[in-house]
Amino acid sequence: MASNQQHIKLICDLSLIHSNAKWLYPGSWENYPKYGDPALYLDIARMLERGKFDGAFFADVAGTPMVNGSMKDTVELGVAWPRHDPIPMVSAMSVVTERLGFVTTMSMTYNHPFHAARMMASLDHVTRGRVAFNAVVSGFPQEGQNYGYDTIPDHEWRYDRAAEFQQVLTKLFESIEPDAMLWDQETGIVADASKVHRIDHEGEHFKVMGPLPVAPSPQGRPMQVMAGQSDSGMRLAATYADLQFAGANGHAGKGKHRARLDEMCRSVGRDPDDVGIVWAGSFDVVSGPAEEDEIRRKLREQYSDRLLHVFLSQWWGLDGYEIDPDAYVHDVIAEVRGAGIAPNWGYLDMAMTATTPTTSIREYAREWLVYGAEYIGTPEQIADYMEEAFHASGANGGFMIAPRSGVPAGIERFVDEVVPVLQRRGLFRTEYSGATLRENFKGR
C-alpha cells in the first residue's frame, strides 16, 4: 500500500511501568517516589519530547483482575494494579511540554458519549491540541462488575453500543461550527447562535440533545485511536479511527493485518491512508549479546511463575477462569471458545499463531512476558527491525514501544541511542512539523 506518511511515528506506552514487577527491575524508579507522584512522569514527558516522540500512551481498565475467583494474587503481585485514572497525569505532563502528544483511554462500554466528548474536547484545550482519545470496547469481567453488571455484556451488545457511541461523538463534535465563537467585546456577543446546533440524537442506547458545551478545540476534534482486532473491532476502527494500535507476529503478520484493515476501510468508504497503525511491543536497548543475556537473567529472576500466570489470565480476559499452567495453549483456547467465554479474542488469536500445539501455558507466558520484546538489540539492530517492519506493513504508522526494564533509564536510552539512528536513516523526524498532535502525526 502506498502512503504519503514517510516517517515512522513513535508513541511510548506508560500504562504499566509501575506494575507487573517492572518496578523491581534494577534502576527502575530510582530516586523517584512510588506510583501516584507525578515526578517520574514529568521527567519522562520532557525526555520523550526531546526525542521528538509523537506521544505518550495510557491504557485504562477500571477493575481489579481476579484469578480463580480471588484478587489476592493480583493485589499482592501488582499485576496491572493499581490503575489511577490517567487524565489528571496527562494534564500535568502537558504543562511541561509543548509538542508531545498524549493518548488517553475511555471505555465506550461504560462511559456516556456526552461525558467523553466534553472531557476530551476540554482536555484538547488544556493540552493545546495534543490529545487523542483511545476509545475502547471493554472486555474485562471485573470492570463490568464495577459498573453494575454481573459480568461483561455480550460481544454484540458492546459493539452495537460502541457504534452508536461513535455516532453521537461525531454529532457532538460537529454541533459547534469552527467559526461559531465571536467573543465580540463591542457587542457583547460570545458566539453566533446560528452556528451552534442541537443534535437531538435518540437511539437504542443513547438519547442526547446537545450541543456540546465546549468551544471548538485546537484540533477541531481530538484524534481518535482504537485497538480492537476482532472483525467488529476492525470495522469500528476502519470507520472512525485516525490510528489503530495493533499487535501481530512478525513482518508477515503485520502485512496481513494491514491488508485486512485496508479492506475494511474501503468497505466503509474510507481511504486506507487515513488510518495508520502503531505496532505495540516492548523493547530493550543493549550494547551486545553479553548485556542481552544479563537482562534476560535479571528478568527471569523478577518474573515468577505465579506472576506470569496471573498476568496472562488478566491479559487474555480470563479473569476468574482457572488455567492449568501445564496445559497446552491450543487446548486451553479451544476449551474457552467451546465454552462461549468472552475474553480478549485478539490476544488469544495472536497466542495461537505464536505457539505450537505442544506449547504449554507456562512456556508461552514466560516467553511472551519475559522474552517477548520484539525490539531488543543494539540501536542499529532495533532500527533495522523497525525499518523492515514499517515498510512491510505499508509505511503508514509506526510503533508503540513499552519500556520493559529500567524506567526511566530504558526510555532515555532509546531516545539517546535509537532515535538518532532512525533520524540518520531519514526514517524519523528531527523536528516537530506542527503544534498539534494531528499536525505532527499527519505531517512528514
Side-chain angles (χ1 to χ4, degrees), residues 44 54 61 223 240 269 309 311 374 379 398 418 438 442:
I44 289 174
D54 291 85
V61 177
M223 283 187 68
Y240 294 104
H309 183 213
F311 181 80
E374 285 189 291
V418 179
R438 188 181 298 277
K442 296 298 184 182

Side-chain angles (χ1 to χ4, degrees), residues 108-123:
M108 294 184 291
T109 306
Y110 305 121
N111 283 294
H112 193 284
F114 181 84
H115 170 68
R118 186 170 181 241
M119 176 64 75
M120 289 300 159
S122 299
L123 193 59

